[in-house]
Structures are given as C-alpha cells and as structure tokens.
Amino acid sequence: MSRPRIVIVGAGFAGYRTARTLSRLTRHQADITLLNPTDYFLYLPLLPQVAAGILEPRRVSVSLSGTLPHVRLVLGEADGIDLDGHTVHYTGPEGEEGTLPFDRLVLAAGSVNKLLPIPGVAEHAHGFRGLPEALYLRDHVTRQVELAAAADDRAECAARCTFVVVGAGYTGTEVAAHGAMYTDAQVRKHPMRTGMRPRWMLLDVAPRVMPEMDERLSRTAERVLRQRGVDVRMGTSVKEATHDGVVLTDGSTVDTRTLVWCVGVRPDPLVESLGLPMERGRLLVDPHLQVPGRPELFACGDVAAVPDLNQPGQYTPMTAQHAWRHGKVCAQNVAASLGIGERRAYRHRDMGFVVDLGGAKAAANPLGLPMSGPAAGAVTRGYHLAAMPGNRVRVAADWLLDAVLPRQAVQLGLVRSWSVPLESSSPEVARVPGGPERHGRAAGPAGQRPDGEETGNQPGGEPARNQPGGEPARNQPGGESAKGQPGGEPAKNQPGGEPAKEQPGAEPAKSRPGGEPAGSRSHGGRAKGGQSGSPRASGKPRRAVEAAGPRSAREGSGKPGRAPRASGAGSAGKRPTAPSGPSRSAGPPTDPGPEPPANQPPPGPDIAPGPVKRTDRRAAEGDS
C-alpha cells in the first residue's frame, strides 16, 4: 500500500514548523513535500539587522534541505489548487510548470505587502519583507549618504540624507532605530561638507508607536527613537509620493529619495481562489486548524483565521509567534488524521513580545513583565537565539564582532531597485534579468523601470520612449540609464540626439525630438490608486508570467483551479507585443526576432551605470 502524500505550501514560520514536526511524527510513514519559492526559511525578526549591516544575509536564512532531511523540497510558487482533483499546480523558478498530488494539504503561504490607494507609493516605495529588499535598502542607504556627502548643494544633500519610514509597528520601528544608528556611524567617520546630518522620519496614523504593545513599552520605544534623532510623527502618513519626495497628510512636503513601506501585511491572495469561507482575506478553520467540510485541507499561519479559544469570537492575530505555534498543532492534527496520535485544539498563552532597538536598547515584556534598557536587550537577543531553528553560533559571533569592530559600510550592488518592486507578491525572490517575470508590479511607462530608471537598449527593438514626439523618458533622481547591456552601447538621451547603436536584430534607429516615436512597447497598465495589475495583488491566484522566447500562452489549459495568465493591458492569456514601427536606418530592415516580455529587464550582467546626460541638462546619479 502506498504511503499517504502530504503537501505543505509555504516555508514560513507555520510551514517550516509543520514540516519539521510532521517529519518527526510520521517517521517515514508518509511522503512529505514542501513547496516554497526559496530553499531557506527566513527568520524575519532579525531582518532589520541585515539592513543595518550587523548580520550577514545567510545568518537569518536557514537551509530547508539541511534541516529537514526527510522532507522533499520543491522550488516553486503555487498558482492554483484543485481540491476535488487533490492536486496543487505550481510554477518553478525558471518558468517551468508542474503539479503535486496530495492526500493531505497544508496551506501556510504566509502574507504579502499591504498596499493602500496612495498615489505614487507603488512606484517610489520599497517594502521590507524579504532578503532582497533588506539588501537593497542597505545598499541604497549607504549610497545616499555617500552621495549626500559629496554634494555641494544643501538642498540635494538634505533630500538624499532624509529617510522616511511609513508604519510604526514592529518592523518599521526596528528599521528606523537601526537605520539611524547605521547612518550616524557613517557620518562620524566621513562628515558631510555641508555640515548636515542624516534625518530619519517614522510616520503612522496610529496614536502611538507600536500600538499593539503595552503602552509602557510603546513609550520606551518612542523615547529611544527620539534620543537617536528620529522624527516620530504619529497621526500622520503619506498622502502622495513622487520621485522628489512625499506629501504628508498634514499638508507638509518632505524632500527625500528613500521611502520604506512597513505599513503591514495581508494574507496571501492564493487562498481566495478556493471559494471557501473567508474572514478578512483569511481562510476560516476550526480550532483544530482544519477547514470545515474539507477533511483533507488544513491551514495555519497568516492565511488562516484560527479561533482564539481564550477570547471567544475573536481570531488569533497575524504574528510570527502564533504562526510558529500553529505549525506544531497543525502537524499533530495532520498526523492524527492519518491515524498517528490524537487531535489537539489550538490554545495559546501569551509569552510576551520583544523589540530590538539596536545597540543595547530594546523593549520587551517576557511573561508580562515590562523591561527596557540593557536588560531588555539581553532578553531580546536571548529569545531570538532560542527561537532560531539554526545558525545560532554564527548569529552570536556576528553580534560579538559588531560590538568590538566598526561596521563595513559598502555598496555590494547585488540587488537593483527594479528587482524588488513593492507590490511583488513574492518579496523573497528578486527579479533577475533574463529570467521569468515575477508576479507583482505592473510596468511603468514603456522602457522604464519601476523606480524610474530607463532600461536603455531593449533586445530586439528600439529604445522605448514615453514622451510625446519620441523624446526619451527622463530618469528619476537617484536612477541612471542602464549601460553595458550585451550587444549594444547605451542609448544617448540628448534632444536631437545620436541614434541608439547596435540594437540586437535591428539597424540603428534615430531619435529626434518631434520625430516618430520609436516602438513604444505595450505594457501592463497600473490600476488607479497604485493597485497592482498582477493577478495575485488583485486577489486572484498567482501565475508566473512566462519567460521570453517562443513559448505560447497557455490560457484555457483545462487544468482546474487555475486562472488565466495576467497580461497587463493586453487581452487575457495573450502577451502584449510592441508595434513593429518602421526604423529609420541606412540599410534594409532585418527581422528582430521574437519580442521579449514587455516588462522584462534586459538580459545580461547587471552592471551599475555611470552618469549620463539628461534632457533637463542635469546629471543623473546612480541607483545601482
């Protein structure tokens, strides 16, 4: 008789704990498969320390295959579930598709960034939910301080060394606290010529910092932030975001090049496609974490609305502490459904919360005892070491080195801004040139990256432009045109400028102001209010957009539980293509070959470009 097949979707706190506990309980009596976009479990509470240069990225990422030896790992993202057919459809990291049959299914897909209908936020802000975003923020903050130190203009210096964090919850508070220490250390070693200092702002519509915590701890956190010079503004948020700064709800304007979005999260929209009872985007389950009427389906973590037996009529909040405990109880109940052990209802006891504020400062209330100062710092770090499923010695070693050695403030340039869009439904996976398009951010103007950087030479076509009369799109401050793409030189963006040279598969096209626009690509238009044009961000099951090449769209494949591919502004299931306008060339036209995806970054090495000339006669600084 074949062994029962258990599929777990997601390897966050809930999914990882479920897989680890099930592996121990079943003892080879079941086949356990874990479906996740990455091969590691991310310990999110320490992510702000990665952005601040305290911990290396691998310290907070625990290997799944190394710590789950009896669990089969499948890399991919679930994009459709057929409950009647007992199969999960997924898309792999290189665009390949597959299905996983199951006898028991555990949904632990976690959460995604919560976007609000605020103009400009999706285009100019960055989230803080994954390693790529933390690495990008670390490079970006370092770069802005260095550029501000070299600037002669005080207004430009002030804008570059102003950092705005929206959301005063756990994540936003820790990002602002660690960020202020990081930039102050940079300025102490290399003072700015204008005599200015970095400025951090923390905004939230809530009446106090971390409103979910005890009021005494909130006051402690706010006091530490203000002592470090953080401008804490409660009852205030962002009304509009532009490439030059933000407009606040109180009517004031702040010039900045950095907007960090830590407003909150919402459940992964994957569960909405099941057509089962929901509670504010979460799948309703019973106290045993089982979906009523579906004995084969379990859910835990942020996607599950678990009844709080200690507070009847309420559901457990979306926190890592609850997700970790959900995983253990869910594994026990899945094993019980297979005849191993007994069922258990989920009950919890509040163990308290800890918030790391950097250095020796923290706010904590272990077992309900409020603490602050160095004692809270020791409790906080001890808690994290005990809670981490791996890398404890390495994390402790990094903390020790940070206490005795100065931090290394360098730009590695590993993650570009366009590869970590805010509305990505998979912040743990950075978009890469030449790879399959990730779900999430709909494209901006044709030929323009989400942060305002021009893509330069698009393979197989002319430079995309979005200005009337064929003028090139202007670079946003902090961004440069991409250079050094394989097979071509950078396009020059001067009015009446020179032709773009050596386009792959085509003759050089001339770009003259007032002339014929050069092949503007069709692109996925963004919905009003900054909402994503992707299937997942709009509440539909996710599907990865296919990689560039001759593969055809697979709409109407007949597989149950699937939604048609998102196509941006084009028709359903079809990829929009660029119009094949005539190019003005000296020779006969050639066949450019198949068009790449409309929103796909150019292939080849991701080389940080140098300054280029803009149409407004100013030099654009790099945002590598």
Side-chain angles (χ1 to χ4, degrees):
M1 181 178 179
S2 61
R3 296 187 296 182
R5 299 161 298 183
I6 304 172
V7 173
I8 304 170
V9 178
F13 280 90
Y16 180 87
R17 186 79 183 276
T18 301
R20 193 173 74 170
T21 307
L22 266 175
S23 177
R24 176 177 55 85
L25 292 176
T26 57
R27 298 183 182 276
H28 307 288
Q29 299 179 44
D31 293 328
I32 305 173
T33 301
L34 180 61
L35 176 65
N36 197 59
T38 63
D39 65 347
Y40 60 84
F41 158 74
L42 177 63
Y43 190 75
L44 273 170
L46 293 181
L47 200 59
Q49 296 192 24
V50 174
I54 300 174
L55 297 177
E56 291 301 312
R58 286 183 295 178
R59 305 296 183 258
V60 299
S61 51
V62 179
S63 170
L64 296 178
S65 57
T67 56
L68 302 174
H70 304 299
V71 176
R72 176 195 174 203
L73 173 64
V74 175
L75 294 179
E77 297 181 67
D79 50 37
I81 298 173
D82 180 6
L83 293 178
D84 296 329
H86 284 210
T87 55
V88 176
H89 308 280
Y90 70 92
T91 302
E94 297 181 354
E96 70 277 12
E97 297 182 350
T99 59
L100 295 173
F102 64 84
D103 298 305
R104 298 292 185 274
L105 175 64
V106 179
L107 291 179
S111 54
V112 298
N113 287 318
K114 179 170 66 177
L115 288 178
L116 301 178
I118 300 175
V121 165
E123 294 85 357
H124 303 287
H126 286 280
F128 201 80
R129 292 282 299 162
L131 271 179
E133 293 172 319
L135 291 175
Y136 167 74
L137 182 63
R138 178 176 170 177
D139 272 4
H140 176 77
V141 170
T142 305
R143 177 169 53 255
Q144 295 306 313
V145 172
E146 292 172 348
L147 291 174
D152 294 323
D153 181 58
R154 290 185 63 87
E156 180 185 356
C157 179
R160 289 196 178 280
C161 62
T162 298
F163 307 94
V164 179
V165 180
V166 185
Y170 292 101
T171 302
T173 300
E174 291 184 343
V175 168
H178 283 282
M181 291 188 65
Y182 181 61
T183 54
D184 285 346
Q186 284 185 268
V187 173
R188 278 196 299 269
K189 291 187 294 184
H190 303 287
M192 298 183 183
R193 287 185 291 177
T194 58
M196 304 187 70
R197 297 189 63 82
R199 175 193 182 195
W200 284 79
M201 297 182 65
L202 180 62
L203 312 176
D204 203 309
V205 295
R208 57 187 174 92
V209 173
M210 294 188 299
E212 61 273 15
M213 290 190 69
D214 180 78
E215 188 172 353
R216 184 187 301 183
L217 297 181
S218 294
R219 289 197 303 266
T220 298
E222 184 172 349
R223 183 176 66 252
V224 171
L225 291 172
R226 294 190 184 279
Q227 288 174 351
R228 292 184 182 161
V230 178
D231 184 1
V232 181
R233 298 192 187 184
M234 294 293 97
T236 306
S237 188
V238 173
K239 182 179 179 180
E240 181 182 0
T242 68
H243 63 272
D244 289 324
V246 293
V247 179
L248 305 184
T249 53
D250 60 8
S252 60
T253 301
V254 178
D255 293 335
T256 181
R257 301 291 187 270
T258 308
L259 181 59
V260 186
W261 192 255
C262 302
V263 168
V265 296
R266 63 188 180 94
D268 193 306
L270 173 68
V271 297
E272 296 179 2
S273 65
L274 300 179
L276 298 174
M278 310 286 291
E279 169 63 28
R280 295 186 178 182
R282 295 195 284 174
L283 196 61
L284 276 173
V285 298
D286 60 23
H288 300 91
L289 306 178
Q290 194 169 22
V291 177
R294 289 285 181 178
E296 77 283 2
L297 181 59
F298 296 78
C300 54
D302 290 350
V303 297
V306 182
D308 190 341
L309 299 183
N310 295 330
Q311 303 181 44
Q314 298 187 22
Y315 299 94
T316 58
M318 296 167 58
T319 64
Q321 189 177 112
H322 281 289
W324 187 251
R325 298 173 183 177
H326 286 176
K328 180 179 180 180
V329 175
C330 184
Q332 291 172 336
N333 292 333
V334 170
S337 71
L338 300 175
I340 304 171
E342 298 180 356
R343 298 177 71 197
R344 287 183 51 191
Y346 178 74
R347 286 184 180 272
H348 71 93
R349 180 188 175 195
D350 189 1
M351 303 295 291
F353 297 94
V354 295
V355 178
D356 184 12
L357 300 176
K361 301 295 182 67
N365 61 343
L367 301 177
L369 177 63
M371 302 178 65
S372 61
V379 169
T380 298
R381 295 201 167 183
Y383 169 81
H384 287 316
L385 285 179
M388 289 193 68
N391 297 343
R392 295 187 182 97
V393 175
R394 290 185 171 92
V395 170
D398 275 4
W399 282 341
L400 178 61
L401 292 175
D402 180 70
V404 298
L405 297 176
R407 297 183 197 174
Q408 295 176 304
V410 294
Q411 303 177 53
L412 299 180
L414 300 178
V415 181
R416 302 293 295 274
S417 59
W418 50 264
S419 63
V420 283
L422 173 63
E423 55 191 48
S424 171
S425 57
S426 300
E428 68 277 8
V429 181
R431 293 171 57 183
V432 295
E437 282 189 47
R438 313 304 305 179
H439 347 280
R441 171 175 295 251
Q448 195 173 356
R449 288 175 180 161
D451 62 343
E453 298 178 70
E454 293 180 2
T455 53
N457 298 338
Q458 295 289 349
E462 302 175 3
R465 307 179 185 123
N466 64 348
Q467 301 295 335
E471 285 286 325
R474 292 185 177 183
N475 297 329
Q476 304 290 351
E480 294 179 4
S481 302
K483 292 184 180 180
Q485 299 298 343
E489 300 178 4
K492 299 182 179 181
N493 298 336
Q494 301 182 14
E498 302 176 15
K501 299 179 181 180
E502 298 180 11
Q503 296 292 340
E507 292 292 327
K510 296 182 179 180
S511 53
R512 299 175 179 172
E516 185 176 347
S520 299
R521 298 179 186 274
S522 301
H523 55 84
R526 187 182 306 283
K528 293 183 180 179
Q531 296 300 322
S532 168
S534 71
R536 291 194 64 205
S538 61
K540 299 178 182 179
R542 55 178 160 182
R543 289 293 303 271
V545 182
E546 292 180 300
R551 295 178 61 188
S552 60
R554 294 183 173 87
E555 183 189 5
S557 60
K559 297 179 180 179
R562 295 201 178 202
R565 290 190 183 276
S567 57
S571 58
K574 298 181 180 179
R575 185 181 307 284
T577 57
S580 57
S583 68
R584 302 177 182 179
S585 57
T590 59
D591 182 12
E595 280 288 340
N599 305 331
Q600 184 68 35
D606 195 8
I607 301 175
V612 297
K613 292 185 178 180
R614 299 163 49 117
T615 57
D616 55 2
R617 307 295 184 184
R618 294 186 298 168
E621 283 75 23
D623 188 12
S624 58

